[in-house]
């Protein structure tokens, strides 16, 4: 059997507040195989986004390990984790996180340029055409609709052909029809590229489309909700 693309082992996250120690996540354990899709679901404040950040190596667990594409993220320093993210991970955020001083094409080119790719412009153009924005290459985020900005963010995430795509409430700020379009595109690109997709969502219909559902309750993964 091939090694999981994501392996979360006994991950606990604790923080200190005015009342003492708050446990956000408690001994989380699960693995995901390459090409799988998984939805992390649960009530607000249950630790879903914290878990996603730990999987990405953006946040550190109090205890436990996370292996991403075979690399133990918390036995290496932050520079090395950043290198793993650049090579293996794409992100799609609810807030889009586009750079306002760059147009759509430049936003999508940026991660490719950071990799030193000579074909960044051609690849970014092709991906923006793929998400239906071929006529909006020179437009800046401020003149794009919410759905268009999310498609630029999706193109930016997929253009580097990541092994793993992490999405935090990717349709949370979109209307229903636009959200459906964005999610259909995300799953389509996921299938075509063979990327493992992990998304945080409150939307049950979106969660039901994933191969697995991981429900966070009281800081624990309820394995009984896995599909």
């Amino acid at each position: 059997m091939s090694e999981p693309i994501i392996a979360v082992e006994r991950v606990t996250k604790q923080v200190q507040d005015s009342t003492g120690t708050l446990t956000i996540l408690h001994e989380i354990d699960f693995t995901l195989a390459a090409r799988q899709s998984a939805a992390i679901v649960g009530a607000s404040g249950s630790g879903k986004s914290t878990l996603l950040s730990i999987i990405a190596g953006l946040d550190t667990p109090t205890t436990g390990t996370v292996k991403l594409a075979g690399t133990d993220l918390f036995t290496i320093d932050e520079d090395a984790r950043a290198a793993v993210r650049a090579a293996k991970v794409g992100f799609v955020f609810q807030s889009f996180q586009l750079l306002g001083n760059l147009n759509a094409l430049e936003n999508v080119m940026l991660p490719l340029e950071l990799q030193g790719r000579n074909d960044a412009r051609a690849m970014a153009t092709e991906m923006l055409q793929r998400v239906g924005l071929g006529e909006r290459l020179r437009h800046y985020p401020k003149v794009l609709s919410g759905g268009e900005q999310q498609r630029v963010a999706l193109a930016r995430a997929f253009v580097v052909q990541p092994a793993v795509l992490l999405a935090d409430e990717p349709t949370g700020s979109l209307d229903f029809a636009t959200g459906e379009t964005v999610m259909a595109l995300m799953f389509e690109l996921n299938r075509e590229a063979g990327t493992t997709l992990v998304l945080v969502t409150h939307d049950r219909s979106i969660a039901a489309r994933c191969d697995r559902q991981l429900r966070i309750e009281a800081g624990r993964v309820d394995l009984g909700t896995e599909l």
Side-chain angles (χ1 to χ4, degrees):
M1 179 179 289
S2 60
E3 184 176 26
I5 190 73
I6 296 171
V8 177
E9 301 174 4
R10 300 180 68 84
V11 162
T12 293
K13 178 67 175 182
Q14 296 176 320
V15 297
Q16 300 296 318
D17 65 10
S18 59
T19 62
T21 300
L22 175 64
T23 300
I24 300 173
L25 300 172
H26 182 73
E27 295 195 348
I28 303 293
D29 276 293
F30 67 89
T31 61
L32 291 176
R35 297 176 176 269
Q36 275 194 307
S37 59
I40 300 174
V41 299
S44 296
S46 60
K48 302 184 301 297
S49 294
T50 298
L51 178 57
L52 200 70
S53 293
I54 289 174
I55 293 171
L58 293 169
D59 195 358
T60 57
T62 304
T63 59
T65 63
V66 175
K67 292 182 180 179
L68 182 64
T71 299
D72 189 335
L73 292 180
F74 302 110
T75 60
I76 57 179
D77 63 21
E78 176 51 37
D79 287 344
R81 283 197 293 273
V84 171
R85 285 193 293 271
K88 301 291 186 180
V89 181
F91 298 92
V92 178
F93 298 102
Q94 180 178 343
S95 58
F96 315 137
Q97 295 195 358
L98 301 178
L99 296 178
N101 62 325
L102 301 181
N103 62 33
L105 180 60
E106 291 165 341
N107 265 284
V108 179
M109 286 175 60
L110 184 59
L112 295 168
E113 292 175 329
L114 293 174
Q115 291 182 350
R117 297 289 297 259
N118 295 324
D119 56 351
R121 182 172 296 275
M123 289 185 67
T125 299
E126 181 180 355
M127 183 55 71
L128 282 165
Q129 291 171 339
R130 180 70 185 80
V131 300
L133 294 176
E135 302 300 317
R136 309 286 270 171
L137 302 181
R138 308 295 177 185
H139 289 70
Y140 288 85
K142 65 181 180 181
V143 299
L144 297 174
S145 69
E148 288 172 333
Q149 289 184 58
Q150 190 64 301
R151 281 186 281 163
V152 173
L154 191 57
R156 181 182 59 188
F158 267 105
V159 76
V160 295
Q161 300 177 332
V164 174
L165 181 72
L166 305 176
D168 193 358
E169 296 286 1
T171 62
S173 60
L174 304 177
D175 63 75
F176 177 78
T178 303
E180 282 291 298
T181 299
V182 167
M183 287 310 305
L185 182 60
M186 183 177 292
F187 281 108
E188 183 178 344
L189 292 173
N190 165 250
R191 288 191 300 270
E192 290 182 1
T195 298
T196 299
L197 174 63
V198 183
L199 57 92
V200 166
T201 183
H202 285 96
D203 190 319
R204 292 184 179 182
S205 65
I206 292 174
R209 295 168 67 178
C210 294
D211 299 323
R212 297 172 65 187
Q213 293 182 30
L214 306 174
R215 178 171 295 279
I216 305 292
E217 292 183 354
R220 301 173 185 267
V221 168
D222 180 359
L223 298 180
T225 63
E226 292 191 41
L227 297 182

